Amino acid sequence: MSNFVAPEVKKFVAWDYVVFAGLFLVSATIGVFFAVKERKKKTSKEFLVGGKQMTCGPIAFSLTSSFMSAVTVLGTPSEVYRYGASFVLFFLSYALVIIFTAELFLPVFYRSGITSTYEYLELRFNKIVRLAATLIYILQTILYTGIVVYAPSLALNQVTGFDLWGSVIATGVVCTFYCTLGGLKAVVWIDAFQMIVMVVGFTTVLIRGTTLNGGTTKVWEVAYEGTRLNIFDFDVDPLRRHTFWTIVIGGTFTWLGLYGVNQSTIQRCISCKSEKHAKLALYLNLLGLWTVLVCAVFCGLVMYSHYKSCDPWTAEFISAPDQLMPYFVMDIFSSMPGVPGLFVACAFSGTLSTVAASINALATVTFEDLVKKGFPNLSEKMSTWISKGLCVLYGVLCTSMAAAASLLGGVVQASLSIHGMCGGPMLGLFTLGIVFPCANWKGAMGGLLAGITVAFWAGTGAFLYPAPPTKSIPLQLSTLNCTLANSTEALTTAAAPTAALDRPLLADTWYSVSYLYFSAIGCLGCAITGLLISFITGPNKGEDIPPVLIQPVCNLFCFWSNRLKALLWCGVRHNSQEVDLEKNQPKVTANQTGTDDTFRNSSNKENKCQFPGYNPKEKSYTNMSRESRL
């Protein structure tokens, strides 16, 4: 029970519900619009990748909205409030991630003509590797989506009085509805709308909060005095929760697993009408990521300025740190009906966009990697209906998974931990395939298992035995000016959590590694083990691998010497690659091998319904019918 008298904070009123319901209504309407508009287009490709005619603008909005979920809207301001503004260093991580994705991974996926990123793994290795990666991705996405659905619903329920399971079910139903009806085009355009709602919501909170707390200069001064602006901590200790190195290095690995090889991201990029549009969408998306990050960080500083002498978490006015942001909104907008509804719409815009992206990507992966393999002769009409059925199935699964998310702690750390433990080994697997021609399927499979093992070992240990308080203790939080209830004792700082007894030997070392390093551990574990196994079992020969499956990264460093570049290609014939203009498939002009034929046959089978109008000079699909364009 709290020792303090909680100030009265109003709950939702009619106007808040009207604004919030408007978000769901507009989202559902867009889904219906595309269902009607695209009703004559029966192919599963149209449904899953939008006919490969999307432009960079809506894709950029969609990418930002999908990955800046309610975890960002609610979790990041809370992180800044408690631990300081070092979270802003993620702007460096985001920049590195987008560069690697656009220049290393995307060209390979786009030119391969694939729909699922895991098709690449079969072309490069074999079906076993593809199946294993697909199953891990499905598990990762369902777990993450459960957090995205449950966490904002719980936070908003306890602060605003908004019904918990009502919001969970509403989220699942609406996302499933417009994914099933409208396909990828509906998801992308709804994401663009929700991105606008998210920025408007953040901006409204920032303006009101800054005004109430004396302006930007005052907020900055209070944050400085409260040590919230100690951003550049260059301590190399990997056990420290957030330092410059953990955020820039660990954050880059974590988000690269989320962006560079994630089906949800790549599916949007390969739906663009050209590789140039896909890259441009990624770089425009970077501006969106920076914008949302800065808004979230500054919201955290404004919150600290507002509650600097009466922290609602320490005073037990709220039961979890993730409720700080909605509590703050209900506090400062208590006299402005409808505005809290706008913020809730902002939070749920992030949730809707992320859940929709997950459902669409899961349906695509399952259809391309599992259904089509078992039933290769399905008609296009049946394929489309199965794709829609998979959207419904995964909508139900992701909504149901929300029930398990309450066990995973803070939303930011929980979500990034899951991405690190699953995404890191997947990043290592794709890196093996794209960068190292010598890697064979045995190395890929062994590396994936090793990466998953070490990442889950570290992540599970960290969950069971949290890091010592000295490595992750929040900054000082005061209740000095809170109104006491039945005692005259004032609590001036938040009490530090106590360390658990009987901790194993690894608890204060291996299990205490920053959660941002889980992805790096999994990625490096997979890559190193994969290379070792490949050399032990006999490495692949470069001339046996179609050049389109390998990205010659050495060209960047050896641009002055063609001979050195050819040496570092490890036998892959990048200089003899041409494009088959009719099939849009790569072929090699000399020394053909069985692997090249296998690749072409497999790719042609996967892409026998290739879209008309391919322009080989622009690497794009530019002659589609006018009505299919957006």
Side-chain angles (χ1 to χ4, degrees):
M1 181 177 177
S2 176
N3 294 319
F4 303 95
V5 177
E8 183 182 356
V9 175
K10 293 183 179 180
K11 304 294 184 181
F12 256 35
V13 297
W15 278 109
D16 297 315
Y17 284 105
V18 168
V19 173
F20 179 67
L23 168 75
F24 281 84
L25 183 62
V26 171
S27 299
T29 302
I30 295 174
V32 173
F33 170 78
F34 279 102
V36 174
K37 182 175 182 290
E38 309 289 325
R39 65 187 182 278
K40 294 182 180 179
K41 297 171 184 175
K42 302 292 186 181
T43 69
S44 59
K45 292 271 186 180
E46 281 282 351
F47 183 79
L48 295 173
V49 293
K52 287 203 170 187
Q53 279 298 293
M54 303 299 291
T55 53
C56 59
I59 293 295
F61 273 113
S62 178
L63 286 171
T64 304
S65 182
S66 296
F67 292 101
M68 294 287 105
S69 65
V71 171
T72 305
V73 176
L74 301 178
T76 301
S78 171
E79 286 280 323
V80 174
Y81 177 87
R82 293 186 298 149
Y83 293 99
S86 59
F87 212 85
V88 78
L89 290 173
F90 269 101
F91 86 92
L92 292 175
S93 302
Y94 294 160
L96 292 172
V97 165
I98 295 303
I99 291 170
F100 278 117
T101 301
E103 306 302 333
L104 177 60
F105 295 107
L106 176 63
V108 173
F109 293 134
Y110 195 92
R111 295 168 193 174
S112 298
I114 59 177
T115 302
S116 161
T117 52
Y118 306 102
E119 290 178 50
Y120 169 84
L121 295 175
E122 182 175 350
L123 299 176
R124 177 65 176 84
F125 299 115
N126 63 16
K127 293 181 181 179
I128 299 174
V129 179
R130 176 179 180 176
L131 178 61
T134 299
L135 294 176
I136 291 170
Y137 171 76
I138 291 173
L139 174 65
Q140 169 194 2
T141 305
I142 292 176
L143 283 173
Y144 172 67
T145 307
I147 296 175
V148 170
V149 172
Y150 180 79
S153 299
L154 177 65
L156 295 165
N157 161 258
Q158 296 194 5
V159 175
T160 66
F162 199 76
D163 184 70
L164 171 62
W165 291 106
S167 60
V168 167
I169 293 171
T171 300
V173 169
V174 171
C175 288
T176 305
F177 175 75
Y178 68 70
C179 281
T180 305
L181 283 182
L184 182 73
K185 285 187 178 180
V187 172
V188 166
W189 281 104
I190 293 169
D191 283 352
F193 162 71
Q194 289 163 354
M195 176 64 191
I196 295 170
V197 174
M198 202 183 306
V199 173
V200 169
F202 262 138
T203 305
T204 306
V205 173
L206 281 173
I207 293 173
R208 176 68 173 170
T210 304
T211 303
L212 290 177
N213 288 282
T216 306
T217 304
K218 181 64 175 177
V219 169
W220 204 256
E221 289 175 357
V222 172
Y224 179 78
E225 292 169 1
T227 67
R228 261 57 186 178
L229 298 181
N230 294 339
I231 296 172
F232 296 99
D233 180 356
F234 292 99
D235 188 349
V236 296
D237 184 0
L239 309 186
R240 291 279 304 281
R241 188 171 184 273
H242 284 166
T243 66
F244 178 87
W245 306 112
T246 56
I247 292 176
V248 174
I249 297 176
T252 298
F253 273 96
T254 300
W255 278 86
L256 196 55
L258 187 60
Y259 254 76
V261 299
N262 186 282
Q263 171 65 22
S264 184
T265 305
I266 299 302
Q267 183 177 348
R268 281 159 171 68
C269 292
I270 62 179
S271 72
C272 288
K273 63 183 180 181
S274 70
E275 186 179 322
K276 180 180 179 181
H277 269 271
K279 287 186 176 183
L280 189 56
L282 282 169
Y283 286 114
L284 289 174
N285 154 66
L286 178 59
L287 299 178
L289 293 178
W290 282 345
T291 300
V292 175
L293 176 66
V294 169
C295 286
V297 168
F298 202 72
C299 273
L301 297 179
V302 171
M303 269 202 304
Y304 176 73
S305 178
H306 193 76
Y307 294 124
K308 63 181 181 296
S309 56
C310 185
D311 170 39
W313 179 41
T314 308
E316 299 180 7
F317 302 155
I318 56 177
S319 58
D322 296 321
Q323 297 171 5
L324 278 165
M325 190 66 177
Y327 180 88
F328 176 60
V329 169
M330 297 305 294
D331 187 3
I332 65 175
F333 289 114
S334 57
S335 61
M336 302 173 69
V339 181
L342 176 63
F343 171 75
V344 173
C346 167
F348 272 88
S349 289
T351 298
L352 288 173
S353 59
T354 303
V355 175
S358 298
I359 291 172
N360 197 255
L362 285 167
T364 303
V365 165
T366 305
F367 180 76
E368 293 290 335
D369 297 352
L370 302 179
V371 176
K372 282 180 70 173
K373 289 298 175 184
F375 306 94
N377 298 318
L378 290 171
S379 67
E380 279 298 337
K381 184 175 182 180
M382 180 59 69
S383 296
T384 304
W385 278 109
I386 290 174
S387 299
K388 293 185 176 184
L390 288 169
C391 283
V392 174
L393 172 65
Y394 282 119
V396 172
L397 280 177
C398 291
T399 305
S400 303
M401 195 64 209
S406 59
L407 305 174
L408 298 176
V411 292
V412 170
Q413 183 164 336
S415 61
L416 292 182
S417 294
I418 287 174
H419 281 310
M421 290 186 288
C422 296
M426 298 289 277
L427 175 63
L429 177 63
F430 280 98
T431 302
L432 273 176
I434 291 173
V435 178
F436 298 102
C438 59
N440 60 28
W441 77 267
K442 296 174 184 176
M445 198 67 201
L448 180 61
L449 294 175
I452 287 286
T453 301
V454 294
F456 269 84
W457 179 23
T460 306
F463 179 74
L464 296 175
Y465 304 100
T470 53
K471 302 298 182 182
S472 60
I473 188 171
L475 299 174
Q476 187 181 61
L477 298 166
S478 174
T479 56
L480 189 62
N481 290 344
C482 292
T483 304
L484 291 169
N486 299 318
S487 172
T488 56
E489 296 181 10
L491 301 178
T492 57
T493 59
T498 56
L501 300 176
D502 300 324
R503 292 163 66 84
L505 184 63
L506 294 176
D508 294 333
T509 52
W510 178 245
Y511 296 159
S512 295
V513 169
S514 171
Y515 71 95
L516 289 174
Y517 281 132
F518 293 162
S519 183
I521 290 170
C523 177
L524 295 176
C526 175
I528 293 171
T529 305
L531 288 173
L532 288 175
I533 294 175
S534 295
F535 280 112
I536 292 171
T537 58
N540 276 349
K541 295 180 180 179
E543 56 267 22
D544 294 339
I545 303 173
V548 75
L549 299 181
I550 304 292
Q551 184 73 343
V553 293
C554 59
N555 290 2
L556 184 65
F557 307 102
C558 307
F559 56 88
W560 67 88
S561 171
N562 290 331
R563 180 178 297 179
L564 183 58
K565 282 194 292 187
L567 178 65
L568 294 176
W569 287 344
C570 301
V572 180
R573 295 186 297 275
H574 291 291
N575 56 355
S576 61
Q577 182 180 348
E578 292 182 352
V579 176
D580 186 331
L581 302 185
E582 295 181 2
K583 304 276 187 188
N584 183 28
Q585 296 299 330
K587 70 179 182 179
V588 179
T589 57
N591 301 322
Q592 295 285 357
T593 67
T595 304
D596 297 327
D597 295 333
T598 301
F599 168 72
R600 245 191 338 275
N601 292 337
S602 172
S603 297
N604 289 338
K605 187 180 292 184
E606 294 278 356
N607 293 284
K608 61 185 177 183
C609 298
Q610 190 68 265
F611 296 107
Y614 179 72
N615 184 332
K617 292 182 179 180
E618 296 183 7
K619 299 188 182 71
S620 66
Y621 297 81
T622 55
N623 298 321
M624 301 289 288
S625 63
R626 187 177 186 86
E627 67 171 350
S628 71
R629 299 190 182 188
L630 289 178

